[in-house]
Amino acid sequence: MVIRIFALYYTSSMVTASEIFRWPFFLNLFVMVIGVPTEIKSQEFRVGLTPAGAQALQNAGHTVYIQQGAGMGSGFLDVDYENAGAQILREPIDIFQKAEMIIKVKEPLVSEYNLIKPNQILFTYFHFAASQSLIDAMVKSKAICIAYETVELADRSLPLLTPMSEVAGRLAIQFGAYYLGKPQGGKGKLMGGVPGVKPAKVLILGGGVVGTQAAKMAAGLGAQVIIFDTNLARLRYLSDVLPANVQTEFSTQHAIEAHLSTADLIVGAVLLHGAKAPHLIKKEHLKHMEPGTVLVDVAVDQGGCIETCRPTTHENPVFEVDGIIHYCVANMPGAVPQTSTMALTQATLPYALQIANLGWAKACSLHDALQKGLSISQGKILKAEIS
C-alpha cells in the first residue's frame, strides 16, 4: 500500500474534520490495489463491481484489476472495464496475489481459501452464522473480513444488505408463484385468482425489507397476504403503507400455526443481525399444510427460518418434503444479475472508497457502520454472534 501525501487548501468557508471523511469529499491517504474476481458459486452471475464503480475507484487514484469475463453474466464486457481504466487479468490467482482489497459478492468458497493472503481485505457478503467452516478458514487466513450484511447505520438499518433484500423479497413471490403451478408440483393456483375464484393465500414471516417487498409483490398480483412481525411499531407502519389486501399480525407460534392449513405460499423473511435465523416453521408443521404448498426461505443463507430447508442452487432450486415444495436458493438475487449488480455497487461503492482511501483500520475507526461490518481481523473473531 502506497501512502499518499497531500495538502489541504481552505477557501473562505472552513471544512470540519468530519466533512473531510464524508464520501465523496474525503481525500485519500492511500493508493490501494483492488481486485474483483469472477464469482464461482453455482449459477452466480453477479459481479462485485460495475464498470462505473471501477472508474470511480480509478479516478480516486487506485488500481483496479478485474478477472477476465467477471462481468459477463451481468452484461458487462471486459472492454467496458478497460474503458473505465481497469486492467484485466486472466486467472483468479493473479487477482488475489496482486490485490490488497478483494471486492466480491458472495463469500469465498473452499477453492478460494488458499488464495487469500494475510492482511488482505475481503469486502463481500459472508453470512458467517451459517458456516463454521468459513469462519475457521477466514481465521486461519488472517485476512481482514468486512461483511456487507453487518455494516449497520445508527438507525439499525443495513445499507449494504438492503438492495439485495429488496431484490430477494420481490423474487420470492415471482418464484413462489411459478412453483405454485401444477407442472412444477404446486397446487395449481393462480396468485390473484379470477372473478368468482379466490386468490392464493400468502404468509410472510418477517416485516423487514424482504418481507415488505414480498408483500408488495404478492399484493400487486392480487393475492391475499398476511405479514407477521414481533415489532408493533413496524406492524403499524406496514398497515398504513401496504395495500388493503395485506393483513398484519403479531407473530406468535400460535398465530402462524392457525394459517398453515390454508396457506398456499409461505415466505421466510426473518433476519437477526449477523446471527442465525430461528426456525418458525418446523418439520412437524408440514403435516398441517396441503400438498403442493410452496415454502420460499429467503433466510436460508443465515441458516434458514424453516427447519426443513437446506441451501439449494439456481440449477436445482427446489425439493419436496412430505409433499411440500421447498425453494431455498441461497443467492436468489443472482437470478437477475444486471439489476442486482447495479443495485449492489451503488450501495457498496461509497464504503469501498472509504476503505481504499483511508485504509481499513482508519476507515473502521472513523465510521461506526464499517466498524460493525468488521467481523474477523488478522486471525481474531470480532463479532460475538459468530464466536
Side-chain angles (χ1 to χ4, degrees):
M1 182 181 293
V2 178
I3 299 177
R4 171 166 295 182
I5 301 174
F6 62 88
L8 290 176
Y9 295 90
Y10 291 94
T11 61
S12 56
S13 59
M14 295 295 287
V15 180
T16 67
S18 62
E19 287 172 328
I20 290 174
F21 297 107
R22 186 179 302 133
W23 186 85
F25 183 78
F26 57 70
L27 297 174
N28 49 322
L29 299 171
F30 298 107
V31 174
M32 188 173 285
V33 179
I34 296 155
V36 180
T38 300
E39 297 294 323
I40 60 173
K41 197 178 185 79
S42 176
Q43 298 290 296
E44 178 54 75
F45 301 108
R46 290 173 290 179
V47 62
L49 202 62
T50 63
Q55 185 176 52
L57 287 161
Q58 286 283 149
N59 289 345
H62 307 294
T63 299
V64 179
Y65 291 107
I66 308 288
Q67 187 178 340
Q68 187 177 55
M72 288 286 289
S74 296
F76 304 120
L77 305 178
D78 290 344
V79 68
D80 298 327
Y81 287 103
E82 288 176 323
N83 290 339
Q87 300 177 53
I88 305 298
L89 297 177
R90 181 167 180 159
E91 301 296 335
I93 190 170
D94 298 326
I95 296 289
F96 280 89
Q97 282 183 346
K98 288 180 178 292
E100 295 163 291
M101 175 164 64
I102 296 290
I103 296 179
K104 290 180 88 280
V105 178
K106 295 302 292 180
E107 74 282 355
L109 299 186
V110 173
S111 62
E112 295 171 307
Y113 290 172
N114 290 334
L115 300 178
I116 299 167
K117 302 180 298 186
N119 296 312
Q120 190 168 51
I121 304 162
L122 301 179
F123 193 37
T124 188
Y125 289 116
F126 280 102
H127 297 291
F128 280 119
S131 176
Q132 184 62 47
S133 61
L134 177 63
I135 295 171
D136 295 341
M138 293 305 99
V139 168
K140 183 179 178 181
S141 74
K142 298 189 184 302
I144 313 301
C145 301
I146 303 176
Y148 289 165
E149 71 274 10
T150 57
V151 172
E152 183 180 324
L153 299 176
D155 63 2
R156 299 219 68 206
S157 63
L158 304 170
L160 307 190
L161 187 61
T162 293
M164 295 304 94
S165 296
E166 290 170 334
V167 171
R170 296 183 178 207
L171 282 176
I173 301 303
Q174 285 189 203
F175 289 129
Y178 174 73
Y179 283 102
L180 270 177
K182 197 65 178 177
Q184 289 69 247
K187 292 183 178 181
K189 275 198 171 183
L190 183 66
M191 287 287 281
V194 292
V197 179
K198 289 195 299 183
K201 182 176 179 179
V202 178
L203 306 185
I204 299 173
L205 311 178
V209 176
V210 171
T212 302
Q213 296 301 316
K216 285 180 179 179
M217 287 291 284
L221 290 173
Q224 176 195 356
V225 183
I226 300 173
I227 186 167
F228 294 90
D229 204 279
T230 56
N231 185 326
L232 280 175
R234 183 66 181 177
L235 291 176
R236 290 189 182 101
Y237 168 77
L238 293 174
S239 184
D240 284 341
V241 301
L242 291 174
N245 55 329
V246 179
Q247 172 187 336
T248 59
E249 282 198 35
F250 187 80
S251 183
T252 64
Q253 196 66 59
H254 182 271
I256 293 170
E257 289 177 9
H259 292 284
L260 295 182
S261 63
T262 55
D264 300 304
L265 169 61
I266 301 174
V267 176
V270 176
L271 173 69
L272 299 181
H273 291 206
K276 192 171 182 178
H279 289 153
L280 299 185
I281 302 290
K282 297 180 171 61
K283 187 179 190 305
E284 65 202 55
H285 292 138
L286 301 189
K287 64 187 178 187
H288 300 300
M289 303 176 192
E290 293 181 348
T293 299
V294 178
L295 308 182
V296 178
D297 196 346
V298 184
V300 69
D301 54 8
Q302 285 288 105
C305 63
I306 297 171
E307 185 178 25
T308 46
C309 274
R310 53 177 169 77
T312 60
T313 67
H314 290 292
E315 255 179 336
N316 297 291
V318 298
F319 59 90
E320 283 191 32
V321 178
D322 297 339
I324 307 302
I325 307 297
H326 292 59
Y327 180 99
C328 313
V329 175
N331 60 326
M332 287 177 62
V336 286
Q338 193 165 106
T339 296
S340 297
T341 293
M342 294 175 73
L344 182 60
T345 294
Q346 67 188 21
T348 59
L349 180 60
Y351 295 91
L353 277 163
Q354 289 177 18
I355 296 167
N357 286 357
L358 302 173
W360 71 268
K362 177 66 75 174
C364 289
S365 69
L366 289 171
H367 301 281
D368 288 341
L370 272 176
Q371 182 67 45
K372 290 179 179 177
L374 185 60
S375 301
I376 296 175
S377 175
Q378 298 170 320
K380 296 180 181 179
I381 296 174
L382 304 179
K383 303 288 287 186
E385 296 89 344
I386 62 173
S387 59

